[in-house]
């Protein structure tokens, strides 16, 4: 079985690759090593795979149709992880997330139809919900994104749906709720807070810390992706079920790391959603998926990885 992982050198993509190689899939990784954060980190993420005869790396952009076709040739499944991630950067530069996340996903879907791919598993985001009408979010909750990033991920989901309806391409979109764990992106709160806590430096909170987030451990996200190859279509929430405030998260990280960090408050940032909280019954019923890692265990595992 041959599989393409777009964005395979990134945080989530590289974990999916680890699992696929362990399961003896032949895998292709397509990544342009975008400099949004240090490309060397991404090179390190995939370093362990380079010696495997089951692994091949294609460096380039998902918006390059001929490169995409050659990466996808002979592939049964596609895990589409490549994106311009990050809510805050999308407020500063809305065009880039549109080009990568909306246009790029369209390019991936077009190539998938041409290459006869059996299913595309699309990485979506809790950011599609945006404005809260009720909590927790189920998949029928209105989607009113509050950032250009959220809009671009919602557009990608709709392209997936339309490609299923018009061209018979099997697609599934997994709405991840803030993913964390080893190799996580350096721009996310758990990463920034943990590094500050380990150095006993102040933890900086933007706003008053009452915004809440549902955090999902990376192993649970990989598990959802593997299940999504065989089961499900449409959209599914993939959330850890830990609905905690940013302030409580900071305290938990201070405790887990036995740190003496103080907490400092800064003005809130535009584009950040007020709350995210996943109802995951649909994923439980249709994919047989449920998050297994508690926030406490996940934070401990992550902190010990950072220390190493
Ligand atoms: N990490 C989270 O908390 C989170 C939450 C919700 C959704 N997501 C989604 O999950 C997916 C993976 O996120 P991540 O956290 O691993 O991000 P990441 O930035 O670590 O990984 C994305 C990868 O895509 C690559 N990439 C970017 N633009 C590309 C292009 N034009 N062509 C080819 N490759 C390109 C990057 O170089 C990077 O390696 C993304 O679709 C993201 O929107 C992530």
């Amino acid at each position: 079985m041959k599989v393409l992982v777009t964005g395979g050198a990134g945080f989530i993509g590289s974990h999916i690759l680890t699992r696929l190689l362990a399961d003896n899939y032949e895998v292709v990784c397509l990544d342009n090593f975008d400099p949004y954060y240090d490309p060397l980190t991404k090179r390190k993420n995939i370093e362990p795979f380079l010696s495997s005869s089951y692994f091949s790396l294609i460096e380039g952009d998902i918006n390059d149709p001929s490169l995409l076709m050659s990466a996808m040739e002979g592939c049964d499944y596609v895990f589409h992880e490549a994106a311009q991630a990050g809510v805050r950067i999308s407020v500063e530069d809305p065009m880039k997330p549109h080009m990568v996340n909306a246009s790029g996903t369209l390019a991936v879907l077009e190539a998938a139809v041409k290459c006869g791919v059996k299913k595309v598993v699309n990485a979506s985001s809790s950011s599609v919900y945006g404005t809260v009408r009720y909590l927790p979010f189920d998949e029928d909750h209105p989607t009113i994104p509050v950032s250009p990033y959220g809009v671009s991920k919602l557009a990608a989901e709709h392209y997936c749906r339309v490609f299923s309806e018009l061209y018979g391409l099997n697609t599934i979109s997994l709405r991840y709720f803030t993913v964390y764990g080893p190799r996580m992106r350096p721009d996310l709160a758990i990463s920034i807070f943990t590094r500050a806590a380990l150095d006993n430096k102040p933890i900086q909170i933007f706003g008053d810390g009452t915004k809440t987030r549902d955090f999902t451990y990376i192993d649970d996200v990989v598990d959802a992706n593997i299940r999504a190859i065989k089961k499900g279509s449409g959209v599914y929430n993939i959330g850890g079920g830990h609905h905690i405030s940013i302030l409580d998260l900071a305290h938990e990280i201070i405790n887990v790391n036995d740190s003496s960090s103080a907490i400092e408050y800064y003005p809130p940032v535009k584009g950040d959603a007020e709350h995210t909280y996943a109802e995951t019954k649909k994923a439980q019923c249709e994919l047989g998926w449920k998050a297994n890692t508690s926030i406490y265990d996940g934070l401990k595992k992550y902190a010990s990885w950072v220390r190493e």
Side-chain angles (χ1 to χ4, degrees):
M1 207 72 90
K2 192 174 169 191
V3 174
L4 169 66
V5 182
T6 70
F11 164 43
I12 299 171
S14 65
H15 281 276
I16 293 174
L17 283 171
T18 303
R19 171 69 185 268
L20 291 171
L21 286 165
D23 291 350
N24 293 320
Y25 283 89
E26 185 185 347
V27 292
V28 181
C29 167
L30 172 62
D31 202 298
N32 70 347
F33 297 90
D34 184 274
Y36 170 53
Y37 63 90
D38 189 355
L40 270 181
T41 306
K42 300 175 186 182
R43 301 232 171 245
K44 277 191 199 141
N45 288 345
I46 57 159
E47 206 174 74
F49 316 137
L50 296 174
S51 57
S52 167
S53 56
Y54 287 87
F55 176 80
S56 52
L57 171 65
I58 298 182
E59 285 196 42
D61 199 310
I62 51 169
N63 276 307
D64 176 342
S66 58
L67 190 75
L68 198 50
M69 289 287 288
S70 64
M72 219 179 273
E73 202 184 333
C75 285
D76 299 287
Y77 302 105
V78 174
F79 291 93
H80 176 40
E81 302 297 315
Q84 174 55 60
V87 164
R88 291 177 189 175
I89 188 88
S90 81
V91 175
E92 287 160 28
D93 178 9
M95 186 56 85
K96 190 173 173 198
H98 176 82
M99 293 308 292
V100 182
N101 306 351
S103 303
T105 301
L106 181 56
V108 167
L109 295 168
E110 279 200 308
V113 171
K114 286 181 190 154
C115 292
V117 164
K118 290 182 188 147
K119 193 167 187 180
V120 174
V121 182
N122 173 50
S124 190
S125 167
S126 59
S127 298
V128 301
Y129 291 115
T131 310
V132 177
R133 292 282 188 257
Y134 56 84
L135 288 172
F137 295 134
D138 56 29
E139 288 81 354
D140 294 326
H141 185 285
T143 45
I144 313 162
V146 292
S147 65
Y149 170 73
V151 172
S152 69
K153 297 302 280 186
L154 186 58
E157 276 189 4
H158 281 295
Y159 278 130
C160 288
R161 177 183 56 76
V162 158
F163 266 65
S164 295
E165 291 166 6
L166 293 182
Y167 310 113
L169 176 67
N170 283 323
T171 65
I172 180 168
S173 289
L174 303 179
R175 291 176 173 168
Y176 306 155
F177 283 65
T178 320
V179 188
Y180 72 104
R183 308 204 289 264
M184 75 182 289
R185 291 203 331 259
D187 59 328
L188 295 172
I190 289 181
S191 170
I192 298 167
F193 290 5
T194 301
R195 284 164 206 275
L198 287 171
D199 291 340
N200 295 309
K201 287 189 175 155
I203 290 182
Q204 302 180 338
I205 289 182
F206 294 91
D208 61 5
T210 56
K211 285 183 177 165
T212 60
R213 289 288 176 275
D214 191 339
F215 294 100
T216 320
Y217 194 67
I218 183 65
D219 293 356
D220 290 324
V221 170
V222 172
D223 182 36
N225 273 277
I226 299 301
R227 287 170 189 270
I229 295 180
K230 296 277 182 286
K231 291 181 178 172
S233 61
V235 297
Y236 294 83
N237 287 340
I238 299 300
H242 319 292
H243 179 230
I244 70 169
S245 71
I246 299 300
L247 184 58
D248 286 345
L249 174 74
H251 283 304
E252 194 73 45
I253 289 175
I254 289 170
N255 287 340
V256 159
N257 292 291
D258 205 12
S259 164
S260 60
S261 288
I263 293 176
E264 290 178 351
Y265 295 90
Y266 290 83
V269 176
K270 276 188 190 168
D272 274 358
E274 282 298 316
H275 303 285
T276 69
Y277 184 18
E279 165 64 74
T280 57
K281 274 187 198 144
K282 189 178 174 197
Q284 285 177 42
C285 292
E286 296 182 21
L287 308 180
W289 177 88
K290 195 174 182 311
N292 275 320
T293 313
S294 72
I295 185 80
Y296 183 74
D297 288 345
L299 289 177
K300 274 181 87 162
K301 282 190 203 175
Y302 177 62
S304 68
W305 177 82
V306 175
R307 270 190 230 107
E308 275 166 29

